Amino acid sequence: MSNDSTIHVHEGAVEHGVHHDGDGHHHHKQSFVSKYIFSQDHKTIAKQFLITGMAWAIVGAMFSIIFRLQIGYPDQTFPFLETFLGKWAKGGKIDPEFYYAAVTMHGTIMVFFVLTAGLSGTFANLLIPLQIGARDMASPFLNMLSYWFFFLASIIMVSSLFLSTGAHSGGWTTYPPLSALHEASSGSKRGVDFWLVSMAMFIVSQLMGGLNYVSTILNMRTKGMSMTRLPLTIWALFFTAVLGILSFPVLLSAAILLLFDRNLGTSFYLSDIYVAGQILPNEGGSPILYQHLFWFLGHPEVYIVILPTMGMVSEIMSINSRKPIFGYMAMVGSLFAICILALLVWAHHMFVSGMNPFLGGVFVLLTLLIAIPSAIKVFNWLTTIWRGNIRFTPAMLFCIGFVSIFISGGLTGIWMGNSTIDIHIHDTYFIIAHFHLVMGVAAFLGMFAGIYHWFPKMFGRYLNNTLGYIHFWVTLTGAYLIFWPMHYMGLAGVPRRYLDFSLWTSFNKFDSLNKMISIVTIIVFFVNLMFVFNFFYSIFKGRKVRTTNPWDATTLEWTTPINPGHGNWVGEIPEVHRWAYDYGKDGRDFIAQTEPVKPGETGH
């Protein structure tokens, strides 16, 4: 069946869209616009999210290159920067305002546009219908809208970079009063309004996507696909969507109230403020209210970023170890526990905001509790690969790298979750080191694993393995070289978001370390550009997939044609008889979920 034919489903009957019949009439021929731009096919929408996310990842990484040049070489000039940035880098020196805008945009882009939209948008769209046995999402139209709202948010965000006063420069957390007063700095002018409107659009996109994912998983599973037979990827995407639905509206309200404070003279976050000796009329607001609203999303957000990768890693590890996943129900239970606890720990970001120490103690307890489900997952991953017949595909290597980074980055969270120690390391490089490893690098490694693994399903071709291995080893060692030393800088008290440490004798000893980090950052950036080349080259010129099930996996997406059309399966949707992890069972390498359970066999 050709890739571009369409399928219409009427009361269980399946009609194949035919391009022309004997008398030359054309039926259901989709135009380029309806097939690739305003597509309602979940697989195409997944590709749109992925490619948009990749474009954003390059932009976000370029910002990090710009500020790493500044931190590593504060006294040097880089004339090429003036070519690119104009007045923001006069004479090749980065303007301090622009430095802060670069840090802000880097954080915003990476957290929201790449690791939230790029990750969930891609894999929830691609895998949910394929793995549960559905023709498409519950609402394909809403699905299309969720992508275009994300695209619109992207356009608004990127256009803020071209404002004469510059992009928003108050940090990705956008704390008032800096973000609430136009006169606070040039980066607090129109750029913040653009940022807030863009984030509002983005949140609408995420809510449309999330509601779609949840309703599809709950209502559209094929016959026999009970919840306990779902692959762990689907469970993870389900909990991710639930977290987003519960927490994103709170950020939306925070953003709208901030827009009111900025433009309508309200005082939700402002009180008793002097600017250049002038008393502002605002009274009765509290900037701490904004912190509560922001972090009520901001903390679940880090799990919205990491949960999808946990699901994908579980699945890819099981497939490439040729063993059933260890502790399936414990894995589902720990995903659920993380989902609940993620909503109860937000104020650990606010230990230094002057909160009641007793309340701080409550949040310390809840924060340390979340280590338990995370540890369960780690032990289950290690037990899954233990004595497995491991195939070291690029996807599998990225999974192993993910577990390594997740352990080493996660351990430092125990320090930060302790309110007493946090007072010392708050807003230092220690914080940067921790969250970049756990939700930045780990999430990217999981995302890469997913791309290498499901690329054959998306495009009917393989990525180049040799480039994949180079990509993995440079990225993993680079990540450790970049972020591990930052822990020591943080313990020494080096503050984050500063553009020049050369005036502090106490921090001068880190000059050579900062140079090393900057150099490694640039190397890793170029190797990831090589991955982007591999990606686009392989879409057109990669080795073709010859079999519907290239990885010998058990799940439903490998029962569709190599290039599935809109509707996924030709004919009936297969029925499911067993769980997703029958590997190495009854003397067989793997048994597909669609194979009936024989009498006397133990089926899940």
Side-chain angles (χ1 to χ4, degrees):
M1 189 181 147
S2 73
N3 190 13
D4 51 4
S5 53
T6 56
I7 292 182
H8 297 276
V9 185
H10 298 292
E11 290 84 47
V14 179
E15 297 179 0
H16 298 281
V18 191
H19 286 308
H20 54 83
D21 51 24
D23 55 11
H25 288 302
H26 287 267
H27 296 295
H28 318 311
K29 182 83 175 88
Q30 284 184 296
S31 66
F32 179 84
V33 174
S34 68
K35 183 165 159 38
Y36 291 109
I37 300 176
F38 296 108
S39 172
Q40 296 187 24
D41 180 353
H42 69 98
K43 298 179 292 300
T44 307
I45 295 171
K47 293 171 195 172
Q48 290 174 322
F49 269 110
L50 179 57
I51 290 167
T52 311
M54 283 168 70
W56 270 117
I58 294 170
V59 175
M62 279 159 77
F63 279 122
S64 66
I65 300 292
I66 290 170
F67 58 70
R68 276 316 316 179
L69 285 174
Q70 167 63 33
I71 299 168
Y73 303 91
D75 40 3
Q76 289 185 25
T77 55
F78 298 95
F80 75 92
L81 286 177
E82 189 168 15
T83 319
F84 286 112
L85 305 174
K87 68 166 185 172
W88 297 116
K90 280 204 178 75
K93 283 289 284 178
I94 293 169
D95 181 75
E97 270 304 330
F98 184 78
Y99 175 84
Y100 293 115
V103 173
T104 302
M105 298 306 280
H106 168 76
T108 306
I109 287 167
M110 290 305 206
V111 171
F112 294 115
F113 289 6
V114 182
L115 291 174
T116 304
L119 188 60
S120 279
T122 300
F123 291 104
N125 272 311
L126 178 72
L127 296 175
I128 289 173
L130 283 171
Q131 290 198 335
I132 69 171
R135 297 268 176 217
D136 206 311
M137 284 289 174
S139 170
F141 180 72
L142 205 59
N143 206 18
M144 175 188 82
L145 278 186
S146 85
Y147 172 72
W148 285 105
F149 265 87
F150 166 51
F151 189 80
L152 195 61
S154 299
I155 298 297
I156 297 170
M157 189 65 78
V158 89
S159 59
S160 75
L161 298 169
F162 299 97
L163 295 168
S164 59
T165 49
H168 169 36
S169 68
W172 76 282
T173 54
T174 313
Y175 278 4
L178 184 59
S179 61
L181 301 170
H182 291 261
E183 55 269 42
S185 75
S186 77
S188 301
K189 292 188 166 53
R190 194 52 63 215
V192 184
D193 294 319
F194 274 64
W195 189 91
L196 291 166
V197 172
S198 170
M199 286 309 297
M201 295 283 183
F202 173 80
I203 292 165
V204 171
S205 147
Q206 290 305 299
L207 291 174
M208 287 195 285
L211 290 168
N212 223 344
Y213 306 151
V214 169
S215 45
T216 306
I217 293 169
L218 292 180
N219 299 321
M220 297 181 66
R221 303 188 305 281
T222 184
K223 189 167 184 234
M225 178 63 84
S226 62
M227 292 295 276
T228 50
R229 286 177 178 169
L230 287 175
L232 287 169
T233 306
I234 301 297
W235 272 110
L237 291 165
F238 174 73
F239 285 126
T240 304
V242 168
L243 264 181
I245 292 166
L246 293 174
S247 58
F248 266 118
V250 182
L251 183 64
L252 185 59
S253 59
I256 290 169
L257 297 183
L258 188 51
L259 275 170
F260 284 1
D261 272 13
R262 287 176 55 76
N263 301 305
L264 298 179
T266 56
S267 303
F268 291 106
Y269 307 131
L270 297 171
S271 189
D272 309 324
I273 293 184
Y274 291 76
V275 176
Q278 297 294 312
I279 307 177
L280 296 190
N282 305 81
E283 267 182 55
S286 163
I288 300 292
L289 167 64
Y290 176 88
Q291 293 192 26
H292 278 292
L293 294 176
F294 180 87
W295 287 115
F296 192 80
L297 163 94
H299 199 81
E301 171 64 25
V302 306
Y303 295 100
I304 288 169
V305 162
I306 205 77
L307 283 177
T309 59
M310 288 177 157
M312 295 192 297
V313 163
S314 306
E315 180 146 337
I316 297 166
M317 278 196 153
S318 178
I319 292 171
N320 288 299
S321 303
R322 312 312 296 158
K323 276 180 63 190
I325 188 77
F326 185 86
Y328 175 86
M329 285 315 286
M331 288 298 232
V332 174
S334 57
L335 284 170
F336 178 61
I338 288 172
C339 186
I340 300 294
L341 286 166
L343 291 162
L344 300 174
V345 295
W346 77 91
H348 69 202
H349 296 266
M350 299 166 56
F351 284 147
V352 296
S353 66
M355 68 157 67
N356 183 320
F358 174 75
L359 191 60
V362 173
F363 279 97
V364 170
L365 177 67
L366 290 165
T367 302
L368 297 182
L369 274 180
I370 212 161
I372 297 170
S374 302
I376 291 171
K377 302 195 84 57
V378 166
F379 290 129
N380 284 3
W381 288 322
L382 296 177
T383 322
T384 300
I385 58 177
W386 170 251
R387 303 185 75 170
N389 184 12
I390 299 179
R391 302 192 295 209
F392 289 104
T393 62
M396 183 62 171
L397 285 175
F398 275 106
C399 289
I400 295 168
F402 168 92
V403 177
S404 159
I405 293 266
F406 187 72
I407 295 170
S408 53
L411 287 171
T412 57
I414 297 170
W415 294 45
M416 286 161 46
N418 185 319
S419 54
T420 329
I421 303 175
D422 186 69
I423 289 169
H424 174 64
I425 56 179
H426 183 83
D427 261 342
T428 67
Y429 268 74
F430 196 92
I431 308 291
I432 295 186
H434 165 79
F435 82 79
H436 275 83
L437 283 175
V438 181
M439 71 172 271
V441 178
F444 266 110
L445 294 180
M447 189 173 180
F448 289 138
I451 294 170
Y452 280 94
H453 185 76
W454 279 289
F455 191 87
K457 189 80 264 166
M458 285 195 225
F459 298 105
R461 294 176 186 265
Y462 295 100
L463 283 161
N464 179 302
N465 269 0
T466 310
L467 292 180
Y469 292 131
I470 298 168
H471 179 209
F472 168 73
W473 286 110
V474 177
T475 304
L476 184 75
T477 42
Y480 272 122
L481 286 171
I482 292 166
F483 296 113
W484 200 253
M486 289 186 186
H487 290 100
Y488 303 107
M489 293 169 66
L491 288 175
V494 181
R496 66 198 274 205
R497 295 179 181 154
Y498 279 41
L499 88 162
D500 188 356
F501 299 109
S502 48
L503 296 174
W504 276 285
T505 29
S506 49
F507 300 149
N508 284 350
K509 59 173 170 284
F510 294 116
D511 283 354
S512 53
L513 189 58
N514 267 325
K515 282 191 178 52
M516 186 275 291
I517 292 174
S518 296
I519 291 164
V520 176
T521 305
I522 292 167
I523 294 169
V524 172
F525 175 69
F526 281 110
V527 166
N528 279 281
L529 283 184
M530 183 197 73
F531 161 73
V532 174
F533 165 77
N534 185 7
F535 182 87
F536 287 105
Y537 181 81
S538 299
I539 290 177
F540 302 105
K541 293 278 199 283
R543 190 162 52 90
K544 282 193 169 152
V545 177
R546 301 282 175 212
T547 158
T548 52
N549 189 358
W551 309 123
D552 294 335
T554 59
T555 42
L556 289 179
E557 76 269 33
W558 308 108
T559 62
T560 61
I562 292 173
N563 285 311
H566 193 172
N568 300 337
W569 285 269
V570 183
E572 293 296 307
I573 298 179
E575 193 180 324
V576 169
H577 298 280
R578 53 181 75 230
W579 74 325
Y581 300 99
D582 268 343
Y583 293 101
K585 184 179 174 191
D586 301 337
R588 293 172 61 187
D589 183 35
F590 72 102
I591 309 174
Q593 279 192 281
T594 50
E595 190 174 314
V597 178
K598 296 187 197 68
E601 185 192 347
T602 51
H604 274 267

